[in-house]
Amino acid sequence: MTRRVTIADIAAAAGVSKGAVSYALNGRPGVSEATRTKILAIAAEMGFVPNRAARSLSVSSAQAVGIALRRSARTIGIEPYYMELISGIEATLSAGSFGLTLQIVGTVEEELEVYRRWWAERRVDGVLLCDIGTSDRRLDFIADLGLPAVAVGGPVEGARVPAVWHDDVEPCRDILEYLYTLGHRRVARVAGIPGLLHTAIRDQAYADTAAELDFETVTTIHSDYTGEQGAQITRRLLSSSKRPTAIVYDNDVMAVAGLGVAHELGLEIPEQLSVVAWDDSPLCRLTHPALTSLTRDIPAYGSKCAEVLLTLIGENKVSEPPSTESRTFSVQCRPAQLSPRGSTGLAQA
Amino acid sequence: MTRRVTIADIAAAAGVSKGAVSYALNGRPGVSEATRTKILAIAAEMGFVPNRAARSLSVSSAQAVGIALRRSARTIGIEPYYMELISGIEATLSAGSFGLTLQIVGTVEEELEVYRRWWAERRVDGVLLCDIGTSDRRLDFIADLGLPAVAVGGPVEGARVPAVWHDDVEPCRDILEYLYTLGHRRVARVAGIPGLLHTAIRDQAYADTAAELDFETVTTIHSDYTGEQGAQITRRLLSSSKRPTAIVYDNDVMAVAGLGVAHELGLEIPEQLSVVAWDDSPLCRLTHPALTSLTRDIPAYGSKCAEVLLTLIGENKVSEPPSTESRTFSVQCRPAQLSPRGSTGLAQA
DNA sequence: GAAGCACGCTGAACCGGTTCGCCGAAACCG
DNA sequence: CGGTTTCGGCGAACCGGTTCAGCGTGCTTC
């Protein structure tokens, strides 16, 4: 059990004061080049790493950001999205030597409470908000708290919190045009949770595009993103009298489940049914046929979100009073690209 | 932007000293019942939450545990295991008002460096070690550091770090006996990463059981757990002259991929091929047919690991010098249960 | 050669909790 | 009634960093 080295140990070894050591280690003026290198050498030799709590206390920053996920323990694992997002976030954070604090919560109330606690405890310097809703209480709450935050999703109108997002309208149009070109006229969509912002945006985008092209039907059924519901809804869709020739899913888990149901019902894919997934995780390439899907680079997206959050944290550290309240902004990422694979084909006559 | 309330504010409001407030808030003797309730009331009213850094500094504990995952950004999402584990861990931690700090690393060296930094910074009070290897450098490293830790997996012999694990021998036996009963005589296994402890344990268990029953062949091919390798190996297995009638996969991602390949090759499941998966995530119920698999309660497992870690942290806080070096122990969980589903059936004559 | 200045460094205060020694008053004792 | 114990509470030190006022030295400047 090695002893931890403190700044005082280094000061004693170098024959200087604690203050000088602090200046030297942080690369600020106040010490000569000679003593700086000497101090750095001693610090390196003694294996000095600053005590995070002590630094946080004086500087009042935690060098950490938080993320709260609102999903049940059982269902969160199946969705590759979160882990990919987190891993992207993490890459950027650790590059900036920030830590990531994770908490899983059950309700919005719990989530707000977590933010309040994190803020009061000074456990984090900022947070990332996932699964942005159409009217999201968290945005105002966080803004009132004065805790730096980034909305992972958007665009958020009248935002007091910056958002990082990608356009979903164009991909929706792409899908429908693609399916139209393949001859599909009866299309169903198994959508995500209704309250979520991107679900609403896609709802609108599908409706708009459908109105422009002469589809017979473009129906949307909302779900909770789980495989069970995906399967159940698919079963219902496929056993209806005028069944769709193509089904679009709002995530890949439901698409895989839908594919399973189609197999179960003895439908040939893509001859009798085309399937399109959203969020192209490796899952889409595991099935047979492989799923046509909308590809986004989720880790890169997470990185971008973390990056924006870090600059935000950096900014309001240097100039505490954000005079221009409208410092919030919106960063748009490259929209998802359609990756056609084996699960889509010409509609049967 | 609300001001944070400090212990001094409360002291001033209650007309007592900081020390008294501290005693009152922490439920320790030193204040009368009357002033205690008064202080608590004021603290509650002012919405006091202690500054974590300040407390950490004096008490030298971070009220957080760390977990480092060694996987690439792209492949970590697909494996439901990690997120389920984390969510179980998280549940226990937040119940004890501990935080979870997550970091994703690329190499063992990086991982060790992270542990050293966490320890030196006092950022965490303990860590959870995932993916235990057959000879794992991390165990000694952590023990030397004196950082409380729990190995998520085992059993680890000669351990200086307690382990939480479940027996894999019995489930392996269960699988082989089950397949034998169904008439399978040529069984292949697509195993996980060779260096991992549980892979080695399963290797041995399969070999032992195979020796007891008169299988024609029980072959094992190691992989990296990814769907791509799962698919590739399956393709190779199924196109060999004497192809197996049953394939067992060491995780569910590969099993799904294998199922896809079987479909692609036009094999009827389970008539022409039986498929068994390990780690029964919801993924196994998404496919058609649903995958027979070995069910473990991963979130519960994570909770147990966190629980053991927390008691460990609690213990070495009260009595710093662990006189009996062999305080390490091993907690065994309920082994995985075989859940037969549609992907397994009688072997064809 | 005195005044002024920049530089290098020290010592102490400070962040916000915890903890310990100590003291005054009340209670208890023979 | 004096002496001891107990209790409630105070004040200060401490954890390990950061930051700032101030001070001595050496150099420039006129």
Side-chain angles (χ1 to χ4, degrees), chain A residues 75-95:
Chain A
T75 67
I76 200 168
I78 185 68
E79 192 89 75
Y81 172 83
Y82 291 104
M83 207 58 180
E84 290 190 9
L85 188 75
I86 287 174
S87 104
I89 291 168
E90 227 298 307
T92 297
L93 290 184
S94 55

PDB file of all heavy atoms in Angstrom, chain A residues 75-95:
ATOM      1  N   THR A  75     -34.244  -3.677 -20.063  1.00  0.00           N
ATOM      2  CA  THR A  75     -34.390  -3.313 -21.476  1.00  0.00           C
ATOM      3  C   THR A  75     -33.256  -2.434 -21.980  1.00  0.00           C
ATOM      4  O   THR A  75     -33.107  -2.240 -23.174  1.00  0.00           O
ATOM      5  CB  THR A  75     -35.718  -2.579 -21.731  1.00  0.00           C
ATOM      6  OG1 THR A  75     -35.681  -1.317 -21.067  1.00  0.00           O
ATOM      7  CG2 THR A  75     -36.887  -3.377 -21.234  1.00  0.00           C
ATOM      8  N   ILE A  76     -32.456  -1.900 -21.056  1.00  0.00           N
ATOM      9  CA  ILE A  76     -31.447  -0.952 -21.508  1.00  0.00           C
ATOM     10  C   ILE A  76     -30.306  -1.641 -22.235  1.00  0.00           C
ATOM     11  O   ILE A  76     -29.660  -1.068 -23.102  1.00  0.00           O
ATOM     12  CB  ILE A  76     -30.913  -0.127 -20.322  1.00  0.00           C
ATOM     13  CG1 ILE A  76     -30.266   1.134 -20.852  1.00  0.00           C
ATOM     14  CG2 ILE A  76     -29.962  -0.932 -19.464  1.00  0.00           C
ATOM     15  CD1 ILE A  76     -29.964   2.128 -19.781  1.00  0.00           C
ATOM     16  N   GLY A  77     -30.079  -2.894 -21.884  1.00  0.00           N
ATOM     17  CA  GLY A  77     -28.952  -3.595 -22.475  1.00  0.00           C
ATOM     18  C   GLY A  77     -29.136  -3.911 -23.944  1.00  0.00           C
ATOM     19  O   GLY A  77     -28.190  -3.873 -24.723  1.00  0.00           O
ATOM     20  N   ILE A  78     -30.352  -4.194 -24.304  1.00  0.00           N
ATOM     21  CA  ILE A  78     -30.620  -4.682 -25.642  1.00  0.00           C
ATOM     22  C   ILE A  78     -30.429  -3.608 -26.700  1.00  0.00           C
ATOM     23  O   ILE A  78     -30.138  -3.877 -27.849  1.00  0.00           O
ATOM     24  CB  ILE A  78     -32.061  -5.255 -25.702  1.00  0.00           C
ATOM     25  CG1 ILE A  78     -32.350  -5.882 -27.057  1.00  0.00           C
ATOM     26  CG2 ILE A  78     -33.079  -4.185 -25.395  1.00  0.00           C
ATOM     27  CD1 ILE A  78     -31.566  -7.105 -27.323  1.00  0.00           C
ATOM     28  N   GLU A  79     -30.576  -2.359 -26.287  1.00  0.00           N
ATOM     29  CA  GLU A  79     -30.468  -1.241 -27.225  1.00  0.00           C
ATOM     30  C   GLU A  79     -29.008  -0.835 -27.384  1.00  0.00           C
ATOM     31  O   GLU A  79     -28.438  -0.210 -26.496  1.00  0.00           O
ATOM     32  CB  GLU A  79     -31.264  -0.080 -26.651  1.00  0.00           C
ATOM     33  CG  GLU A  79     -31.500   1.056 -27.594  1.00  0.00           C
ATOM     34  CD  GLU A  79     -32.767   0.849 -28.380  1.00  0.00           C
ATOM     35  OE1 GLU A  79     -33.867   1.018 -27.839  1.00  0.00           O
ATOM     36  OE2 GLU A  79     -32.615   0.521 -29.567  1.00  0.00           O
ATOM     37  N   PRO A  80     -28.392  -1.182 -28.497  1.00  0.00           N
ATOM     38  CA  PRO A  80     -26.967  -0.869 -28.649  1.00  0.00           C
ATOM     39  C   PRO A  80     -26.689   0.630 -28.626  1.00  0.00           C
ATOM     40  O   PRO A  80     -25.593   1.055 -28.290  1.00  0.00           O
ATOM     41  CB  PRO A  80     -26.622  -1.445 -30.030  1.00  0.00           C
ATOM     42  CG  PRO A  80     -27.676  -2.445 -30.307  1.00  0.00           C
ATOM     43  CD  PRO A  80     -28.907  -1.928 -29.639  1.00  0.00           C
ATOM     44  N   TYR A  81     -27.701   1.408 -28.960  1.00  0.00           N
ATOM     45  CA  TYR A  81     -27.561   2.858 -29.041  1.00  0.00           C
ATOM     46  C   TYR A  81     -26.852   3.459 -27.835  1.00  0.00           C
ATOM     47  O   TYR A  81     -25.879   4.201 -27.979  1.00  0.00           O
ATOM     48  CB  TYR A  81     -28.942   3.486 -29.201  1.00  0.00           C
ATOM     49  CG  TYR A  81     -28.965   4.983 -29.115  1.00  0.00           C
ATOM     50  CD1 TYR A  81     -28.667   5.767 -30.218  1.00  0.00           C
ATOM     51  CD2 TYR A  81     -29.289   5.634 -27.922  1.00  0.00           C
ATOM     52  CE1 TYR A  81     -28.691   7.147 -30.145  1.00  0.00           C
ATOM     53  CE2 TYR A  81     -29.313   7.013 -27.839  1.00  0.00           C
ATOM     54  CZ  TYR A  81     -29.008   7.764 -28.951  1.00  0.00           C
ATOM     55  OH  TYR A  81     -29.030   9.127 -28.857  1.00  0.00           O
ATOM     56  N   TYR A  82     -27.322   3.131 -26.644  1.00  0.00           N
ATOM     57  CA  TYR A  82     -26.803   3.786 -25.454  1.00  0.00           C
ATOM     58  C   TYR A  82     -25.324   3.519 -25.232  1.00  0.00           C
ATOM     59  O   TYR A  82     -24.557   4.422 -24.947  1.00  0.00           O
ATOM     60  CB  TYR A  82     -27.601   3.368 -24.219  1.00  0.00           C
ATOM     61  CG  TYR A  82     -28.994   3.921 -24.237  1.00  0.00           C
ATOM     62  CD1 TYR A  82     -30.077   3.121 -24.539  1.00  0.00           C
ATOM     63  CD2 TYR A  82     -29.225   5.264 -23.994  1.00  0.00           C
ATOM     64  CE1 TYR A  82     -31.350   3.630 -24.588  1.00  0.00           C
ATOM     65  CE2 TYR A  82     -30.492   5.788 -24.038  1.00  0.00           C
ATOM     66  CZ  TYR A  82     -31.561   4.973 -24.333  1.00  0.00           C
ATOM     67  OH  TYR A  82     -32.816   5.486 -24.390  1.00  0.00           O
ATOM     68  N   MET A  83     -24.978   2.264 -25.350  1.00  0.00           N
ATOM     69  CA  MET A  83     -23.580   1.930 -25.084  1.00  0.00           C
ATOM     70  C   MET A  83     -22.677   2.549 -26.138  1.00  0.00           C
ATOM     71  O   MET A  83     -21.568   2.984 -25.819  1.00  0.00           O
ATOM     72  CB  MET A  83     -23.422   0.409 -25.068  1.00  0.00           C
ATOM     73  CG  MET A  83     -22.291  -0.064 -24.222  1.00  0.00           C
ATOM     74  SD  MET A  83     -22.434   0.474 -22.498  1.00  0.00           S
ATOM     75  CE  MET A  83     -20.962  -0.241 -21.822  1.00  0.00           C
ATOM     76  N   GLU A  84     -23.125   2.599 -27.362  1.00  0.00           N
ATOM     77  CA  GLU A  84     -22.315   3.223 -28.408  1.00  0.00           C
ATOM     78  C   GLU A  84     -22.173   4.717 -28.137  1.00  0.00           C
ATOM     79  O   GLU A  84     -21.101   5.303 -28.283  1.00  0.00           O
ATOM     80  CB  GLU A  84     -22.947   3.003 -29.782  1.00  0.00           C
ATOM     81  CG  GLU A  84     -22.872   1.566 -30.247  1.00  0.00           C
ATOM     82  CD  GLU A  84     -23.286   1.400 -31.704  1.00  0.00           C
ATOM     83  OE1 GLU A  84     -23.474   2.410 -32.398  1.00  0.00           O
ATOM     84  OE2 GLU A  84     -23.442   0.247 -32.137  1.00  0.00           O
ATOM     85  N   LEU A  85     -23.272   5.315 -27.746  1.00  0.00           N
ATOM     86  CA  LEU A  85     -23.262   6.737 -27.414  1.00  0.00           C
ATOM     87  C   LEU A  85     -22.288   7.000 -26.266  1.00  0.00           C
ATOM     88  O   LEU A  85     -21.424   7.877 -26.344  1.00  0.00           O
ATOM     89  CB  LEU A  85     -24.665   7.176 -27.013  1.00  0.00           C
ATOM     90  CG  LEU A  85     -24.861   8.674 -26.822  1.00  0.00           C
ATOM     91  CD1 LEU A  85     -24.903   9.376 -28.163  1.00  0.00           C
ATOM     92  CD2 LEU A  85     -26.139   8.958 -26.043  1.00  0.00           C
ATOM     93  N   ILE A  86     -22.440   6.221 -25.228  1.00  0.00           N
ATOM     94  CA  ILE A  86     -21.588   6.389 -24.051  1.00  0.00           C
ATOM     95  C   ILE A  86     -20.132   6.212 -24.417  1.00  0.00           C
ATOM     96  O   ILE A  86     -19.271   6.962 -23.959  1.00  0.00           O
ATOM     97  CB  ILE A  86     -21.991   5.367 -22.964  1.00  0.00           C
ATOM     98  CG1 ILE A  86     -23.311   5.792 -22.341  1.00  0.00           C
ATOM     99  CG2 ILE A  86     -20.906   5.239 -21.910  1.00  0.00           C
ATOM    100  CD1 ILE A  86     -23.873   4.789 -21.371  1.00  0.00           C
ATOM    101  N   SER A  87     -19.876   5.248 -25.262  1.00  0.00           N
ATOM    102  CA  SER A  87     -18.473   4.997 -25.559  1.00  0.00           C
ATOM    103  C   SER A  87     -17.891   6.153 -26.368  1.00  0.00           C
ATOM    104  O   SER A  87     -16.720   6.510 -26.194  1.00  0.00           O
ATOM    105  CB  SER A  87     -18.311   3.638 -26.210  1.00  0.00           C
ATOM    106  OG  SER A  87     -18.100   3.730 -27.561  1.00  0.00           O
ATOM    107  N   GLY A  88     -18.705   6.773 -27.211  1.00  0.00           N
ATOM    108  CA  GLY A  88     -18.238   7.960 -27.916  1.00  0.00           C
ATOM    109  C   GLY A  88     -18.010   9.122 -26.973  1.00  0.00           C
ATOM    110  O   GLY A  88     -16.994   9.823 -27.045  1.00  0.00           O
ATOM    111  N   ILE A  89     -18.948   9.316 -26.075  1.00  0.00           N
ATOM    112  CA  ILE A  89     -18.830  10.373 -25.075  1.00  0.00           C
ATOM    113  C   ILE A  89     -17.550  10.194 -24.281  1.00  0.00           C
ATOM    114  O   ILE A  89     -16.766  11.115 -24.096  1.00  0.00           O
ATOM    115  CB  ILE A  89     -20.040  10.318 -24.117  1.00  0.00           C
ATOM    116  CG1 ILE A  89     -21.320  10.730 -24.847  1.00  0.00           C
ATOM    117  CG2 ILE A  89     -19.806  11.202 -22.903  1.00  0.00           C
ATOM    118  CD1 ILE A  89     -22.595  10.421 -24.074  1.00  0.00           C
ATOM    119  N   GLU A  90     -17.371   8.982 -23.844  1.00  0.00           N
ATOM    120  CA  GLU A  90     -16.245   8.642 -23.003  1.00  0.00           C
ATOM    121  C   GLU A  90     -14.911   8.951 -23.695  1.00  0.00           C
ATOM    122  O   GLU A  90     -13.983   9.458 -23.071  1.00  0.00           O
ATOM    123  CB  GLU A  90     -16.320   7.146 -22.686  1.00  0.00           C
ATOM    124  CG  GLU A  90     -16.127   6.837 -21.244  1.00  0.00           C
ATOM    125  CD  GLU A  90     -14.774   7.266 -20.815  1.00  0.00           C
ATOM    126  OE1 GLU A  90     -13.810   6.862 -21.472  1.00  0.00           O
ATOM    127  OE2 GLU A  90     -14.676   8.007 -19.824  1.00  0.00           O
ATOM    128  N   ALA A  91     -14.845   8.650 -24.971  1.00  0.00           N
ATOM    129  CA  ALA A  91     -13.600   8.879 -25.698  1.00  0.00           C
ATOM    130  C   ALA A  91     -13.199  10.351 -25.622  1.00  0.00           C
ATOM    131  O   ALA A  91     -12.048  10.678 -25.319  1.00  0.00           O
ATOM    132  CB  ALA A  91     -13.761   8.445 -27.153  1.00  0.00           C
ATOM    133  N   THR A  92     -14.159  11.218 -25.872  1.00  0.00           N
ATOM    134  CA  THR A  92     -13.859  12.653 -25.826  1.00  0.00           C
ATOM    135  C   THR A  92     -13.544  13.101 -24.410  1.00  0.00           C
ATOM    136  O   THR A  92     -12.606  13.870 -24.176  1.00  0.00           O
ATOM    137  CB  THR A  92     -15.050  13.461 -26.355  1.00  0.00           C
ATOM    138  OG1 THR A  92     -15.257  13.124 -27.717  1.00  0.00           O
ATOM    139  CG2 THR A  92     -14.796  14.945 -26.237  1.00  0.00           C
ATOM    140  N   LEU A  93     -14.311  12.617 -23.460  1.00  0.00           N
ATOM    141  CA  LEU A  93     -14.105  13.041 -22.082  1.00  0.00           C
ATOM    142  C   LEU A  93     -12.732  12.650 -21.574  1.00  0.00           C
ATOM    143  O   LEU A  93     -12.018  13.469 -20.995  1.00  0.00           O
ATOM    144  CB  LEU A  93     -15.174  12.427 -21.176  1.00  0.00           C
ATOM    145  CG  LEU A  93     -16.583  12.965 -21.348  1.00  0.00           C
ATOM    146  CD1 LEU A  93     -17.500  12.337 -20.313  1.00  0.00           C
ATOM    147  CD2 LEU A  93     -16.601  14.468 -21.229  1.00  0.00           C
ATOM    148  N   SER A  94     -12.360  11.403 -21.799  1.00  0.00           N
ATOM    149  CA  SER A  94     -11.096  10.986 -21.216  1.00  0.00           C
ATOM    150  C   SER A  94      -9.931  11.640 -21.945  1.00  0.00           C
ATOM    151  O   SER A  94      -8.871  11.833 -21.356  1.00  0.00           O
ATOM    152  CB  SER A  94     -10.959   9.463 -21.182  1.00  0.00           C
ATOM    153  OG  SER A  94     -11.142   8.929 -22.447  1.00  0.00           O
ATOM    154  N   ALA A  95     -10.144  12.019 -23.192  1.00  0.00           N
ATOM    155  CA  ALA A  95      -9.109  12.789 -23.880  1.00  0.00           C
ATOM    156  C   ALA A  95      -8.904  14.131 -23.172  1.00  0.00           C
ATOM    157  O   ALA A  95      -7.795  14.654 -23.120  1.00  0.00           O
ATOM    158  CB  ALA A  95      -9.487  13.003 -25.333  1.00  0.00           C
TER     159      ALA A  95
END
